[in-house]
Amino acid sequence: MKKKLNLISLIAIVIGFLFSSLKAEAQNIKAPILTLNGNIPVKPLYCVNQTSPNREAVARNGSVAITANTEFVLEISDEDGNFADPAAVLTRFTTPIDVAPDGEIIFPSFPIPTGLRGENYSLRISVPATGTVSMVREDIPIYYFDTNTDIQLRGSNSNSTSAVALCVNESTILTVTPSDFLEYIWYFNADLNDNDINNATVVSGESGPTLENITQTGKYFVEFNVGSCDGAFSGRNSRSIDVIDFNTTTVRINESSPQEFCPSDPKFLTTSVTDPGFTYEWFRDGVLIPNSDNFVLNLPQSNFAGIYTVNVIGSSTCSILTDPVEVINLGSDILTQPPPLIMLLPTQPTLTLSITTNAPDAGSTVQWFRNGIVFQPTLPITDPGALSIDVTNPGVYVASLFANDVCMDTLDATTEVFEPVGFRTQISTLLDCDADTGTLGLENLFGITATGLEVPITTEQYALFDFEWFLGTQSTGVTETTLTVDQDNIGEVYALEATLRGTSFDTARSNELTVEFLSDVVVIDASPAFIPFGETTTLSVQQSNNYMYEWFRVVDGENQSIIDGTTSDGTITGQGTSEIVTDIRGQYFVRITLLDCVIDSEIIIISDVAGSSEIIPNIVTPNSDGINDNWLLPSSLFNQQDVEVIIYSSRGEVDFNSVSYQNNWPAENSKSSGQDPIYYYIITKNNSVVRKGSITVMR
């Protein structure tokens, strides 16, 4: 028997039909397209950079009018054309007016996300009010690339961005930053002089931000893959670096030996390696020349004769000392002269400026000038007093020496004399690394001019000053320019005061120095003690503003200085500080430098499995709560017949001594019942010390 539809059912069917009809019409919204300043591109290709980051979008409506206040959402897929659920939103737009059939839906200007990089994006419009979507526009290339991006390409053993040095049997890893592009293209060209990437060969199988195990010399290129936008970003999305063979053949002083110069000649030495990222240490007669870190060494007017070498440091593991080159002075020298800047103190009646020379006695002369005016007339250098003058006023003084030799050159020695308006005292620390003693001393005493220029006071002028050392605000009674400190003074803060005797100048109090020493043992703390999946661990040591830190990884038996950044292994940050953050398993240690003292920490082994990291705790809390009550050694040292553990009290007495340690100190076998706050341990394996350090007992 057939049933009749009631009125309510009929209305529901009609409404459902109308709704589905409306939905069908809404789906007839055509596929959206991105525009720039209202212009539709000839083909959908969007190469976006920081100078023009915004786009608009437009789509044509279907055959059903859309009322005002309807919201449209512009959605974008991932780089493979797949829409997420919910889909990523580029922008939203609510129309203030009705959109007629076949009318335009125009999205106002909006920024393109900086992370969009791919060939196959898709766009669509959704209408939340009806739950419908437009047609989809597919296969859209979109690349955002900031053309001001600081692209850096470096080797794992060097900070240089233009060349990497390889020593014998050495390899390197090339790393490019930024490292967040989807794909990188690596090229190699054996010709170091060819900068054309088009002549290079693609390195197959490499698409990440690192290129490992580089042993072949030549020019390497890396290019961010910007797909269809390669033409738009050409030359700005790539970098190159030279990998060079660093040996005595390639690293040399270009000039042959010997080199002969007169004092007035242009005089310089150059190296075959000219990378500004390398370090250059020039030596004359085996003595380092200050401020000479350049591949060109300009020689002075006088005193330049000698045997020259240069140590070129290409990486943390690779340096070459060149063969020597002899430089000969065909003429004469001004052997000694006053400092270029000097103070005339008010308690000095006169200041004597003098020079010495090896110029021939016969025919050589000297003339002195002050501020360009003759101060002392021309005299033979053999005349008494010809090579020195007494000055009582500030000014620029020049000794002009004519040398009657084969070069017939005139040599000048210039000194500017100032008067002080005040003084500044600077102290520093000198440590005896083995004896744990140190000396605080006067490093510099400066006279300050009216213009703020600081001029060093000479050591001969120190006798005109009174000095006094202070511990905080209390005088120590020490009136020398040095003060000896030791372990008992750790943490104390000292300063030195200098007063020009017999004047009304203010006392010049120095910078303050806190007494610090390097411990014999440095232990790295890891938090957490292993690397949980997808997370990091923090390795840290004692922090001090006076310490310099350099972190290393031990890889295949070699100590590799860590470079901040991301490689194929993972990411490490914090080099140069007291702690690093890493997600890379392995062996680590830190080298700490305090003045001339250097110590390497114990090596710590970090795993990604709980309990497997080789960490020796330096704190125990024996309070019977079951947590950290005992001193627990890692499995490689626990219950091992060939491992001996000795624990000493702070008084040097043996508190525990045993092989096959059972992780039960101090609960069961401490002679002092673990009552002291500090203990020290030494662990030996097969009679060789493998670890040592301290244990703090906290109750």
Side-chain angles (χ1 to χ4, degrees):
M1 184 175 94
K2 295 182 180 179
K3 293 185 179 179
K4 294 183 179 180
L5 294 175
N6 61 36
L7 181 60
I8 295 176
S9 298
L10 182 61
I11 292 173
I13 291 172
V14 172
I15 291 175
F17 173 78
L18 291 175
F19 180 78
S20 63
S21 176
L22 178 62
K23 181 175 181 179
E25 292 296 340
Q27 287 176 325
N28 285 331
I29 296 176
K30 302 301 185 289
I33 189 168
L34 299 179
T35 63
L36 176 61
N37 299 323
N39 297 315
I40 297 176
V42 176
K43 73 177 206 175
L45 172 61
Y46 304 97
C47 308
V48 185
N49 62 37
Q50 75 286 353
T51 60
S52 181
N54 284 21
R55 293 294 186 274
E56 315 91 33
V58 62
R60 191 158 295 282
N61 188 20
S63 58
V64 176
I66 300 175
T67 60
N69 299 318
T70 297
E71 182 185 38
F72 302 96
V73 179
L74 184 62
E75 299 175 341
I76 189 167
S77 70
D78 62 18
E79 63 272 11
D80 296 319
N82 301 314
F83 287 94
D85 186 15
V89 175
L90 277 181
T91 188
R92 296 174 183 271
F93 165 65
T94 299
T95 177
I97 59 175
D98 294 345
V99 180
D102 202 36
E104 288 186 333
I105 302 168
I106 301 175
F107 289 84
S109 177
F110 59 91
I112 296 296
T114 59
L116 296 189
R117 300 183 186 110
E119 292 286 315
N120 299 304
Y121 287 100
S122 294
L123 290 176
R124 71 187 184 191
I125 297 173
S126 68
V127 184
T130 61
T132 58
V133 295
S134 71
M135 296 179 180
V136 176
R137 186 171 300 278
E138 299 176 331
D139 301 327
I140 308 172
I142 304 176
Y143 289 89
Y144 186 104
F145 182 71
D146 187 337
T147 55
N148 290 329
T149 298
D150 184 19
I151 304 174
Q152 300 286 342
L153 180 57
R154 286 189 172 91
S156 57
N157 57 351
S158 173
N159 284 324
S160 174
T161 57
S162 57
V164 178
L166 288 184
C167 281
V168 178
N169 298 323
E170 189 176 43
S171 65
T172 189
I173 299 172
L174 299 183
T175 301
V176 63
T177 54
S179 58
D180 59 348
F181 271 70
L182 293 177
E183 184 180 18
Y184 299 80
I185 306 172
W186 290 90
Y187 302 85
F188 171 71
N189 189 337
D191 187 353
L192 290 173
N193 297 316
D194 189 351
N195 289 307
D196 188 355
I197 195 172
N198 295 317
N199 295 331
T201 302
V202 174
V203 181
S204 62
E206 299 291 344
S207 59
T210 61
L211 193 61
E212 299 186 1
N213 196 31
I214 302 298
T215 59
Q216 187 174 0
T217 59
K219 186 176 289 290
Y220 289 80
F221 300 83
V222 64
E223 185 177 62
F224 299 148
N225 187 357
V226 289
S228 300
C229 289
D230 184 67
F233 299 131
S234 177
R236 291 178 289 184
N237 64 321
S238 64
R239 283 293 183 273
S240 67
I241 195 166
D242 293 338
V243 176
I244 64 174
D245 181 10
F246 213 62
N247 55 51
T248 54
T249 301
T250 58
V251 182
R252 65 185 184 279
I253 296 176
N254 291 320
E255 291 70 30
S256 61
S257 183
Q259 291 287 303
E260 297 181 338
F261 300 106
C262 282
S264 60
D265 292 338
K267 303 179 296 296
F268 54 85
L269 299 176
T270 62
T271 65
S272 58
V273 176
T274 59
D275 191 294
F278 295 163
T279 299
Y280 302 84
E281 296 176 334
W282 289 89
F283 296 85
R284 174 174 172 253
D285 297 332
V287 178
L288 179 66
I289 301 172
N291 305 315
S292 61
D293 184 14
N294 198 296
F295 52 84
V296 177
L297 178 68
N298 291 301
L299 303 180
Q301 184 188 50
S302 291
N303 302 305
F304 56 81
I307 305 298
Y308 286 81
T309 55
V310 57
N311 185 39
V312 183
I313 303 173
S315 71
S316 58
T317 59
C318 197
S319 65
I320 293 291
L321 182 66
T322 65
D323 293 334
V325 169
E326 182 181 9
V327 174
I328 298 172
N329 184 1
L330 299 175
S332 303
D333 295 299
I334 294 179
L335 299 174
T336 62
Q337 64 186 75
L341 306 177
I342 195 169
M343 275 291 175
L344 174 62
L345 301 178
T347 52
Q348 289 179 285
T350 60
L351 179 65
T352 300
L353 306 180
S354 62
I355 64 170
T356 62
T357 181
N358 59 4
D361 288 345
S364 297
T365 60
V366 65
Q367 186 177 26
W368 289 85
F369 297 84
R370 176 179 180 269
N371 296 336
I373 301 173
V374 174
F375 184 80
Q376 178 175 283
T378 302
L379 295 173
I381 63 172
T382 54
D383 277 17
L387 298 178
S388 66
I389 57 172
D390 292 332
V391 303
T392 57
N393 294 292
V396 178
Y397 293 84
V398 178
S400 186
L401 172 73
F402 169 74
N404 187 30
D405 53 32
V406 65
C407 293
M408 304 290 284
D409 280 333
T410 297
L411 309 177
D412 289 337
T414 302
T415 300
E416 188 167 4
V417 178
F418 298 89
E419 290 181 334
V421 297
F423 299 95
R424 184 173 74 85
T425 308
Q426 182 180 4
I427 60 174
S428 62
T429 307
L430 178 65
L431 296 181
D432 184 334
C433 304
D434 296 325
D436 288 335
T437 62
T439 301
L440 308 183
L442 175 63
E443 181 177 15
N444 276 305
L445 179 58
F446 297 98
I448 303 173
T449 69
T451 62
L453 179 67
E454 294 187 343
V455 177
I457 301 299
T458 65
T459 54
E460 291 80 6
Q461 293 173 317
Y462 286 178
L464 302 175
F465 288 81
D466 289 328
F467 297 98
E468 188 173 11
W469 287 93
F470 284 80
L471 171 57
T473 58
Q474 299 298 315
S475 172
T476 64
V478 178
T479 57
E480 307 297 327
T481 56
T482 60
L483 177 70
T484 301
V485 293
D486 56 29
Q487 292 280 346
D488 293 336
N489 304 114
I490 290 178
E492 295 179 343
V493 181
Y494 289 89
L496 175 65
E497 292 188 354
T499 306
L500 182 60
R501 194 165 47 250
T503 68
S504 59
F505 282 100
D506 291 339
T507 294
R509 185 178 176 90
S510 74
N511 54 301
E512 294 184 336
L513 287 180
T514 301
V515 178
E516 286 187 290
F517 294 93
L518 275 179
S519 170
D520 290 337
V521 178
V522 176
V523 178
I524 298 173
D525 178 64
S527 179
F530 66 101
I531 301 176
F533 178 75
E535 299 184 22
T536 62
T537 185
T538 299
L539 308 183
S540 61
V541 291
Q542 178 183 352
Q543 196 279 332
S544 171
N545 292 333
N546 296 322
Y547 290 173
M548 293 177 60
Y549 302 89
E550 184 178 9
W551 289 86
F552 293 83
R553 288 179 66 201
V554 183
V555 180
D556 297 330
E558 294 185 359
N559 299 334
Q560 295 184 358
S561 182
I562 289 171
I563 298 176
D564 278 3
T566 300
T567 67
S568 59
D569 294 334
T571 302
I572 303 177
T573 59
Q575 175 66 289
T577 70
S578 63
E579 66 178 37
I580 60 171
V581 178
T582 179
D583 58 9
I584 304 174
R585 296 178 293 111
Q587 301 181 48
Y588 295 84
F589 72 92
V590 63
R591 179 167 296 156
I592 301 178
T593 303
L594 175 63
L595 302 175
D596 294 326
C597 300
V598 180
I599 188 170
D600 288 350
S601 74
E602 297 179 357
I603 291 176
I604 187 171
I605 303 174
I606 297 297
S607 172
D608 55 4
V609 179
S612 63
S613 296
E614 298 288 287
I615 299 173
I616 296 182
N618 55 11
I619 296 177
V620 295
T621 55
N623 50 15
S624 300
D625 62 355
I627 301 175
N628 202 35
D629 288 337
N630 287 337
W631 188 55
L632 305 179
L633 294 184
S635 58
S636 63
L637 301 174
F638 162 69
N639 195 26
Q640 301 294 317
Q641 183 63 35
D642 57 351
V643 174
E644 180 183 28
V645 176
I646 306 176
I647 300 176
Y648 298 89
S649 71
S650 57
R651 299 175 297 280
E653 301 168 345
V654 176
D655 189 76
F656 170 74
N657 184 8
S658 177
V659 295
S660 300
Y661 175 62
Q662 298 300 306
N663 282 349
N664 53 358
W665 183 92
E668 299 179 11
N669 49 28
S670 169
K671 291 181 180 179
S672 63
S673 299
Q675 294 301 312
D676 290 351
I678 299 291
Y679 292 84
Y680 300 92
Y681 67 86
I682 297 178
I683 302 174
T684 60
K685 187 170 185 176
N686 295 324
N687 298 318
S688 297
V689 175
V690 292
R691 305 292 287 271
K692 57 183 179 178
S694 64
I695 310 169
T696 300
V697 179
M698 302 177 64
R699 294 183 179 272

